[in-house]
Amino acid sequence: LINSIEYWIDRFFQKDIVALSKILKEVENETTMGMEFIQHPKLQNSKAHIIGITGPPGAGKSTLVGKLTKLIAELGLSVGIICIDPTSPFTQGALLGDRVRMNELAKLNNIFIKSLATRGNLGGLTNSTSDLIQVFSAFGKDIVLIETVGVGQAEFEILNTADSVVLLNVPGLGDTVQTLKAGIMEIADIYVINQADRPGADESVKDLKMMLRESKKSDWVPPIVKSVATQNEGIQDILYAIQKHEYYLKSTNLWDEKRVSRRYKRLIEVTKNEFIKKLEEKIHTNSLYINIVKDLEEGKVHPVYASLIILKDMKITFEEGLNDKN
Amino acid sequence: LINSIEYWIDRFFQKDIVALSKILKEVENETTMGMEFIQHPKLQNSKAHIIGITGPPGAGKSTLVGKLTKLIAELGLSVGIICIDPTSPFTQGALLGDRVRMNELAKLNNIFIKSLATRGNLGGLTNSTSDLIQVFSAFGKDIVLIETVGVGQAEFEILNTADSVVLLNVPGLGDTVQTLKAGIMEIADIYVINQADRPGADESVKDLKMMLRESKKSDWVPPIVKSVATQNEGIQDILYAIQKHEYYLKSTNLWDEKRVSRRYKRLIEVTKNEFIKKLEEKIHTNSLYINIVKDLEEGKVHPVYASLIILKDMKITFEEGLNDKN
């Protein structure tokens, strides 16, 4: 049967690109079929090395991902790429841009690119990212690269999703304090100063070194690599640093711990999303909820009080204070 | 009684700064007292004009907020400022930086500054921001300024919280497409090109104009203002644009709609947070949950399946597919 799970799973394990594409799409859209796929016993595989590439807009992430992927593919490993596009809250459409360059990459063997929009979870990774990683891993990809756009929420979610986080920066894109402000400095395992042919590169490396010395948290000493991605300079150094981090994780129990924690986070996420969906459905159909929301909107009750009524009805106990400390 | 709600409410309405500070703190920490404060009938006030100031790190947000606040205070209006600091997921401590400059501002009459850390809601506004706005408004602040750091999730949340969103950019901090990538271009009501004495300012204005023409969504035509905040240039133009937007909102029903939507979002947020707290508590105490999480962590069941069991137990129906479209 052309629409049966087993049919597609079979094609999938015959390394059929159409099946990979189909399963990625169903899983991304969280359809019934996608949910069956993702729970399929044969798809439980978490061997791939998951690498997050992040950094502020303009740091050269897409160029670096391109060069790095080419180097990895030529080494003989296969790569799945997940690109996370911003979606405007108004247009709901994904932007184009340097996706065009990516299409050239996709022509190479052993490389598959999946572009995501961040619908409904603005600024963050889409809900299904960890499931998509699992699909790539089951397909036999050795490496899954996740490229995120911008700085903020997404970067913190990468921390929970990737094994190795590479943070790109460029000289002159704000001083160290400004970068710190973005709150993404301490999540990286590998730091890259890209466009290192621009003035101030060595100062940036020096500032970074000092900062990392102060915030040392584990045995892993994050390397700082200089690169000029457009000139293909420093790409091998970045790959070397990534491999070194992989062996570090595997020599400790961090590799396994990250996989366990990823599953747990996904459980909380799925459950939370389903709860909100149910809540919003009830708000529009159940008369108790309709009335309390009416009072809320007319300013007769406060959101915290309205929430109390709803949580009681849903049999979810409301604590004394939301966050009492004494 | 010194610890009674009424005692502090009385002092609060006598314009006592200690009471303002106390109530802001309780509300921020979502304590039992804070929750009682926020539901107090006298505190239901949403007259203040809420202005969000956002933009990428290094654009000069703090400097602009300083100059703008001074200008507004000298005009005779009172201002509450909410500064949202990044918090590292590791250090859990708020960064210092230009908060020092802010302290000078705080010496002026009619200005009160509340600094927040983004605990537990990384990259986003803290849960209680809309409640803090309400407290400032009830205290009689004419204007509440919210300064967010970085780009990403926080900016989209400002869209739901602020009446008027001011987006700062600087010439040369990446081209238009790069800025678009951050996904924050279309949320603004007023655009500011700061550091306009740097090369490329006029090109940035031109690019922006073209982009806005293409994405026109309402009667409001977002003005583009050039400024050099450090030199105090263009600040009056920014204030004029903000006032113009206020009168526009009040001449339509958008002013009221924004207030209703803010209350609704807060309801969903409070309810969701309480659900997650309850869920995580059960996961650590209830034997059914402990076992399912054990199976999950050992890779025996998929997160989606584990979630199904939990949602069933909590009497929250699980839909056929999470997101079926056909």
Side-chain angles (χ1 to χ4, degrees):
Chain A
L1 271 88
I2 195 154
N3 262 329
S4 81
I5 304 284
E6 293 307 330
Y7 170 84
W8 286 109
I9 292 282
D10 278 353
R11 282 187 66 172
F12 181 83
F13 283 106
Q14 286 155 24
K15 301 280 177 199
D16 183 318
I17 297 294
V18 176
L20 171 60
S21 181
K22 160 88 175 167
I23 293 181
L24 286 171
K25 190 165 171 282
E26 297 288 335
V27 167
E28 180 194 7
N29 291 329
E30 297 185 332
T31 61
T32 308
M33 201 178 199
M35 285 170 66
E36 281 184 53
F37 276 130
I38 208 62
Q39 296 183 60
H40 196 283
K42 284 193 188 162
L43 246 66
Q44 307 312 313
N45 177 315
S46 49
K47 281 184 196 150
H49 183 198
I50 304 157
I51 302 162
I53 311 273
T54 188
K61 287 187 295 295
S62 297
T63 309
L64 179 78
V65 167
K67 306 283 183 186
L68 189 61
T69 303
K70 201 155 172 285
L71 195 68
I72 295 169
E74 283 167 1
L75 185 67
L77 298 176
S78 67
V79 185
I81 301 178
I82 301 176
C83 286
I84 296 155
D85 279 9
T87 303
S88 154
F90 298 121
T91 60
Q92 291 290 327
L95 296 165
L96 283 170
D98 39 23
R99 290 294 97 85
V100 181
R101 248 177 295 154
M102 285 286 174
N103 288 341
E104 287 173 42
L105 256 192
K107 289 174 197 155
L108 290 175
N109 280 335
N110 285 334
I111 298 174
F112 192 96
I113 301 173
K114 176 77 185 157
S115 265
L116 301 184
T118 55
R119 317 153 301 169
N121 195 11
L122 292 162
L125 298 185
T126 61
N127 293 330
S128 51
T129 306
S130 63
D131 288 342
L132 295 175
I133 291 168
Q134 187 186 321
V135 174
F136 270 137
S137 188
F139 193 74
K141 292 294 176 201
D142 302 298
I143 287 177
V144 179
L145 277 178
I146 307 167
E147 183 203 336
T148 59
V149 168
V151 292
Q153 185 82 354
E155 278 59 33
F156 293 102
E157 291 178 27
I158 278 189
L159 179 70
N160 296 328
T161 302
D163 297 311
S164 306
V165 176
V166 180
L167 173 60
L168 249 72
N169 239 311
V170 291
L173 228 176
D175 55 39
T176 307
V177 172
Q178 295 293 358
T179 315
L180 264 171
K181 273 185 159 185
I184 58 168
M185 286 304 279
E186 295 186 13
I187 69 165
D189 304 299
I190 294 144
Y191 293 83
V192 174
I193 303 291
N194 194 29
Q195 301 174 27
D197 51 351
R198 280 168 50 176
D202 291 327
E203 286 86 333
S204 292
V205 170
K206 220 180 71 186
D207 288 352
L208 210 46
K209 251 187 201 150
M210 209 164 66
M211 207 207 72
L212 290 173
R213 205 175 300 141
E214 282 167 17
S215 67
K216 201 175 175 301
K217 291 290 184 318
S218 72
D219 291 341
W220 174 253
V221 180
I224 304 169
V225 184
K226 286 196 288 184
S227 70
V228 187
T230 49
Q231 306 295 310
N232 225 358
E233 281 169 29
I235 310 300
Q236 264 180 333
D237 297 331
I238 296 170
L239 180 58
Y240 181 86
I242 290 172
Q243 289 172 325
K244 191 172 171 179
H245 189 248
E246 178 188 356
Y247 298 133
Y248 165 74
L249 292 176
K250 287 182 172 169
S251 73
T252 64
N253 53 356
L254 286 167
W255 183 269
D256 294 327
E257 273 175 23
K258 275 172 180 276
R259 274 150 189 75
V260 166
S261 133
R262 215 173 287 147
R263 298 174 74 82
Y264 182 81
K265 303 252 175 206
R266 181 74 178 126
L267 166 70
I268 300 293
E269 197 180 61
V270 172
T271 311
K272 178 194 78 184
N273 291 343
E274 203 56 23
F275 172 75
I276 292 172
K277 208 182 289 172
K278 183 73 183 172
L279 174 65
E280 297 207 306
E281 182 198 307
K282 274 199 142 184
I283 278 174
H284 292 103
T285 55
N286 176 303
S287 64
L288 168 72
Y289 290 47
I290 289 172
N291 284 329
I292 190 82
V293 170
K294 193 164 163 283
D295 285 351
L296 174 91
E297 291 182 345
E298 287 169 3
K300 289 180 192 162
V301 298
H302 188 270
V304 169
Y305 179 79
S307 179
L308 170 67
I309 305 289
I310 286 175
L311 287 163
K312 261 190 183 161
D313 178 72
M314 292 183 102
K315 306 264 188 305
I316 294 156
T317 326
F318 203 71
E319 313 294 321
E320 265 295 291
L322 288 176
N323 212 359
D324 266 334
K325 266 159 195 154
N326 39 357
Chain B
L1 271 88
I2 194 154
N3 263 329
S4 81
I5 304 284
E6 293 306 330
Y7 169 85
W8 286 109
I9 291 283
D10 279 353
R11 283 187 66 173
F12 182 83
F13 284 104
Q14 286 155 24
K15 301 281 176 198
D16 181 319
I17 296 292
V18 176
L20 172 60
S21 180
K22 160 89 176 167
I23 293 180
L24 286 172
K25 189 165 173 281
E26 297 287 335
V27 167
E28 180 194 6
N29 291 331
E30 297 186 332
T31 61
T32 307
M33 200 176 202
M35 285 170 66
E36 281 184 53
F37 275 131
I38 208 62
Q39 296 183 61
H40 196 282
K42 285 193 189 163
L43 245 65
Q44 307 312 311
N45 178 313
S46 49
K47 281 184 196 151
H49 183 197
I50 303 157
I51 302 163
I53 313 272
T54 188
K61 287 187 294 296
S62 296
T63 309
L64 179 78
V65 167
K67 306 283 182 185
L68 188 61
T69 303
K70 201 156 173 283
L71 195 67
I72 295 169
E74 283 166 4
L75 184 68
L77 298 176
S78 67
V79 185
I81 301 178
I82 301 176
C83 287
I84 295 154
D85 278 11
T87 304
S88 153
F90 297 122
T91 61
Q92 292 289 327
L95 297 165
L96 283 168
D98 38 23
R99 292 295 95 85
V100 181
R101 249 177 294 154
M102 285 287 172
N103 287 341
E104 286 172 42
L105 256 191
K107 287 175 197 154
L108 290 174
N109 279 337
N110 284 335
I111 298 175
F112 192 96
I113 301 172
K114 176 75 184 159
S115 265
L116 300 185
T118 55
R119 314 155 302 168
N121 194 11
L122 292 163
L125 298 185
T126 61
N127 294 328
S128 52
T129 306
S130 63
D131 288 342
L132 295 175
I133 292 167
Q134 186 186 321
V135 173
F136 269 137
S137 188
F139 194 74
K141 293 293 175 199
D142 301 298
I143 287 178
V144 179
L145 277 179
I146 307 168
E147 183 203 337
T148 60
V149 168
V151 292
Q153 185 81 355
E155 279 59 33
F156 293 102
E157 290 179 27
I158 278 187
L159 179 70
N160 296 327
T161 303
D163 297 312
S164 306
V165 176
V166 180
L167 173 60
L168 250 73
N169 238 310
V170 291
L173 228 177
D175 55 40
T176 307
V177 172
Q178 294 294 358
T179 315
L180 264 171
K181 273 185 158 185
I184 57 170
M185 286 303 279
E186 295 186 13
I187 69 166
D189 304 300
I190 293 143
Y191 293 83
V192 175
I193 302 290
N194 195 30
Q195 301 173 28
D197 51 351
R198 279 169 50 175
D202 290 327
E203 286 87 332
S204 291
V205 170
K206 220 179 71 185
D207 288 352
L208 211 47
K209 251 186 199 149
M210 208 164 67
M211 205 206 72
L212 291 173
R213 204 174 302 140
E214 282 166 17
S215 67
K216 203 175 174 300
K217 292 289 184 317
S218 73
D219 291 342
W220 174 253
V221 181
I224 303 168
V225 186
K226 286 197 288 183
S227 70
V228 187
T230 48
Q231 307 295 311
N232 226 358
E233 282 170 28
I235 311 298
Q236 264 179 333
D237 297 330
I238 297 171
L239 180 58
Y240 181 86
I242 290 172
Q243 289 172 326
K244 192 173 172 179
H245 190 247
E246 178 187 358
Y247 298 133
Y248 164 75
L249 292 175
K250 286 182 171 168
S251 72
T252 64
N253 54 356
L254 286 168
W255 182 268
D256 294 327
E257 274 175 22
K258 275 173 179 276
R259 274 150 189 73
V260 166
S261 133
R262 216 173 286 148
R263 297 174 73 82
Y264 182 81
K265 302 253 175 206
R266 180 75 179 126
L267 166 69
I268 300 292
E269 197 179 61
V270 172
T271 311
K272 178 193 79 183
N273 291 343
E274 204 56 25
F275 171 76
I276 292 173
K277 208 183 289 173
K278 184 71 182 173
L279 174 65
E280 297 208 307
E281 182 197 308
K282 274 198 142 185
I283 278 175
H284 292 102
T285 55
N286 175 305
S287 64
L288 168 73
Y289 291 46
I290 289 173
N291 284 329
I292 190 83
V293 169
K294 192 165 163 283
D295 284 350
L296 174 90
E297 291 182 345
E298 289 170 0
K300 290 181 191 162
V301 298
H302 188 270
V304 169
Y305 178 81
S307 179
L308 170 67
I309 305 289
I310 286 174
L311 288 162
K312 262 190 182 161
D313 179 71
M314 292 182 102
K315 307 263 190 303
I316 293 154
T317 327
F318 201 72
E319 313 294 320
E320 265 294 292
L322 288 176
N323 213 359
D324 266 334
K325 265 158 198 156
N326 38 358

